[in-house]
Structures are given as structure tokens and as C-alpha cells.
Amino acid sequence: MNSNIELDDYSDFAEVRVLTIPAKLAGDRLDAALATLFPEFSRSRLTNWIKEGLVTVDSKVLRPKDKVWGGEQITLQAQPDPEETAFTAEKIPLDVVFEDASILVLNKPAGLVVHPGSGNWTGTLLNGLLFSYPELKTIPRAGIVHRLDKDTTGLMVVARTLQAQNNLVQQLQARTVKRHYLAIAQGKLAGKGTIEAPIGRHPRERIKMAVVHTGKPATTHWRALEQFATHTLIECRLETGRTHQIRVHMAHIGHPLAADPVYGGKPRLASIELNLALEDFHRQALHARKLSLQHPLTGKTMSWKAPIPDDLNTLLHALRADAGMSEEDWGSEESWNEEDDGECEVIYVKE
């Protein structure tokens, strides 16, 4: 499938999607072809959008039963699910680190779901945004343009205007938004590298993601910051934004994140004290520490850093103690050289 827009896990915030019908779908009904090309939407929703004129084939509106033959350009104007437009405002504390008329930058705590969905229709970041910024009810998804997992901490940007939202979506698609994460990986890692491996739904466990040859391209850059007896503190930098990307990629190369309840696997042997510290850490060891982007209105490049949360700091202290490190041996933001974005060896990980 060829597309003139990079469709990653942020693209479901964009209103318009454009792609070309592949030859393998020649002879299929339009609604069936769309169901194949856009599996994230139900066939009934896609059929309704066709009937409402929200789908064009080479700039023409067709019927759901009309055939496609390959090579046609499809334009889809994806609309929010009605359930997603009926959210209620709730008083939820928000840690806002920056705000102006165009954007908000938030430091998300662990345990906070970003967007309402199955099993989490209330108590989310979106509900809190609608309470603190009621004007966001006029913006799709209350201005949210990307997600963090429920138990991942750190920085997120939210748009306050439609213009800002469209601009941020374009930046995410163009991969010009820079996202740096701190993570604790099982096992010992040294140096740096790049993981390029496609990510999609796990073929058997549908609530999980996995490296699969049918998945979407995904690229994660990593580098070691501190090495402990059984774990390594790493920095990860994303080029793409696939669901659970860092967690899936690190597990795939045999270094899952510490305490990850989904992808962690069997933990490495550790001392009793460190095992207790890991048991007390009730989430994957992942923190979105730095965010950089171009301001949607001014075009100025802006950067934010979120402090390491207390629970992650406690785990780092336990790892350092377990490794017999003195305070002089501890890493620091100065020693981590976070701006090291130069060329590095590429590791091609195959299924």
C-alpha cells in the first residue's frame, strides 16, 4: 500500500487521510477495500462515511458497492466516533508546565489514562482538560494529538486551537517533534543503536502489540546512560509513534523494560533487596523526559524537560546500591549528554 501521508499511531488525530488503492484489492467493493485499508474503523462506520460523501475516489463520490481496480486515490475524512464527542468535564489535577494561547505542555503522572475508551470512559486526561479549559470542547479530542500509556509518565503537548492541532499533527507526521524517554531495561546494554522493526497487533493476544512483518514501520534510537548489575538506564528517542513502541522494541531485542507487566517476561536474577524494589515499582520503567517542537504560531523551536518522578528515582537508587555504586559514580543529566543525536550504528531487527 502506497500512501502520500505517513500514517502512524498519531494520524488518527488527523481529519483527512489520503492513500492509493493497491493492485491486490482490484475488484473489491469500495466498502470492503476501505475495511482492509483502515482496520482501525469498523466497516459500518466506513460505509456511513461513503454514503455521507466523506470518501472520494479520484475526487468522485461513489457508492459502497462500487468496485475499485487499483491505482485510485482515496481521500477519507475520518470523523470522531459519536461516543468521543459526549465526554464530560471532570475536576482532575493537571501538572501544566507551559501554556499560551496555542498549546499546553503537561507532565502526565502514572495511572492517568489519556483518552476515554473501553473501560475508561471517565477520569482521563481528556476529562480533566475539558474542566480546566472548557473551550477545548470545540476541538477534536480536546486538543490531544498524541498519547502516553496509562503508566508512562512525562511530557505531552495539547493544542488549544484547530490551527495548532493541525500544525502539530503535521509535525508529528513529518517526524519533526523530538521525544526523548528515560527507561530502565533488563540486562546490560552498552553504547547505542537503532532498532528498525515493524509493529502491529500481536497475532494471538490482541491487546498486545508485537514486531510483525505486516506491521507499520517503527524506528527507535537508544543509548546506554548507566549500567547496573542486572539492568541498564537508557535514553530512547522516537522517530515513529507506534503504540507501545519502546516497550515492544526493547522486549524484541531481549531487553524488556523493568517491571513491565505486559512485555516484561521473566525478570533477570537480582538480589533480594533489588527484587523487593522492583516489586514495589508497579509500572513499566518509562518516562517521557524531553519534548521539542516548533511552536505552531511562531515557528520557534521550543523544548521542555520533566524531572524524573519519585518512584523512578527510588528504583534508580536501589539499582545503584545493588551495583555497589557510590554517589560519585552516579550518572547525572550533565554526564548523560542528552543532545547526542549524531549518527549511530543501525541494528536491523527481523521477525
Side-chain angles (χ1 to χ4, degrees):
M1 178 178 70
N2 295 318
S3 170
N4 61 0
I5 294 180
E6 170 65 20
L7 298 175
D8 69 6
D9 288 301
Y10 297 107
S11 67
D12 63 350
F13 297 96
E15 293 183 355
V16 179
R17 307 192 191 190
V18 182
L19 53 79
T20 300
I21 296 286
K24 66 181 180 180
L25 298 181
D28 284 4
R29 288 170 51 117
L30 175 59
D31 54 1
L34 291 186
T36 300
L37 297 172
F38 299 104
E40 64 270 36
F41 301 124
S42 69
R43 185 160 174 173
S44 61
R45 287 183 72 188
L46 291 166
T47 299
N48 287 334
W49 289 341
I50 295 170
K51 293 177 179 178
E52 292 168 5
L54 298 172
V55 176
T56 59
V57 181
D58 288 339
S59 301
K60 298 177 182 178
V61 175
L62 301 182
R63 298 169 297 177
K65 67 179 182 179
D66 288 338
K67 300 286 183 68
V68 295
W69 302 106
E72 302 97 326
Q73 186 181 77
I74 298 289
T75 301
L76 167 66
Q77 298 180 56
Q79 302 297 303
D81 190 305
E83 288 180 322
E84 297 181 353
T85 61
F87 303 133
T88 57
E90 297 178 60
K91 189 174 183 180
I92 296 172
L94 301 176
D95 182 5
V96 179
V97 300
F98 174 85
E99 67 176 288
D100 64 12
S102 296
I103 60 173
L104 303 167
V105 177
L106 309 167
N107 184 16
K108 189 188 86 67
L112 181 62
V113 174
V114 170
H115 193 276
S118 179
N120 292 288
W121 292 108
T122 61
T124 72
L125 174 62
L126 185 146
N127 299 114
L129 286 169
L130 291 177
F131 182 89
S132 297
Y133 302 91
E135 70 275 12
L136 292 179
K137 67 179 180 293
T138 64
I139 310 296
R141 293 179 174 84
I144 295 171
V145 294
H146 66 118
R147 295 181 174 97
L148 292 176
D149 297 340
K150 174 183 177 181
D151 288 323
T152 297
T153 56
L155 295 170
M156 292 182 59
V157 62
V158 174
R160 297 188 71 177
T161 67
L162 279 172
Q163 176 189 4
Q165 187 176 53
N166 291 333
N167 180 276
L168 290 172
V169 167
Q170 290 169 8
Q171 289 191 55
L172 286 163
Q173 291 172 339
R175 304 181 184 181
T176 56
V177 175
K178 305 298 183 185
R179 292 153 288 159
H180 295 248
Y181 293 72
L182 284 182
I184 297 173
Q186 293 185 31
K188 290 190 175 184
L189 288 161
K192 58 186 177 180
T194 294
I195 306 167
E196 293 186 355
I199 292 177
R201 285 288 169 192
H202 193 287
R204 295 178 301 278
E205 301 175 63
R206 302 303 290 173
I207 64 170
K208 295 175 63 174
M209 308 301 288
V211 170
V212 291
H213 71 277
T214 56
K216 298 177 182 178
T219 302
T220 303
H221 304 286
W222 65 267
R223 63 190 182 95
L225 301 178
E226 284 189 60
Q227 194 179 84
F228 312 111
T230 56
H231 292 74
T232 307
L233 176 67
I234 61 174
E235 179 192 59
C236 293
R237 181 168 54 84
L238 296 182
E239 281 196 18
T240 51
R242 311 307 180 200
T243 302
H244 299 175
Q245 179 171 319
I246 293 173
R247 300 164 67 187
V248 171
H249 270 173
M250 296 309 299
H252 189 67
I253 65 170
H255 295 278
L257 300 191
D260 191 326
V262 179
Y263 305 100
K266 186 178 180 180
R268 309 293 170 109
L269 293 175
S271 65
I272 294 175
E273 293 79 7
L274 181 55
N275 277 330
L276 290 172
L278 289 166
E279 288 176 6
D280 287 339
F281 193 83
H282 302 295
R283 64 184 184 91
Q284 63 271 5
L286 185 61
H287 173 60
R289 185 170 70 120
K290 183 179 178 183
L291 174 70
S292 301
L293 52 84
Q294 290 183 337
H295 191 278
L297 189 61
T298 67
K300 178 183 177 182
T301 299
M302 304 184 74
S303 238
W304 299 269
K305 284 196 294 188
I308 300 174
D310 291 342
D311 63 344
L312 190 58
N313 249 333
T314 299
L315 182 56
L316 280 172
H317 279 64
L319 287 163
R320 289 161 175 160
D322 180 70
M325 297 168 65
S326 66
E327 193 165 340
E328 290 75 22
D329 299 323
W330 292 5
S332 65
E333 296 206 16
E334 291 75 19
S335 67
W336 291 339
N337 261 335
E338 67 177 38
E339 295 300 337
D340 180 15
D341 289 337
E343 294 293 324
C344 60
E345 179 185 5
V346 176
I347 302 173
Y348 289 94
V349 182
K350 301 186 183 299
E351 187 182 10

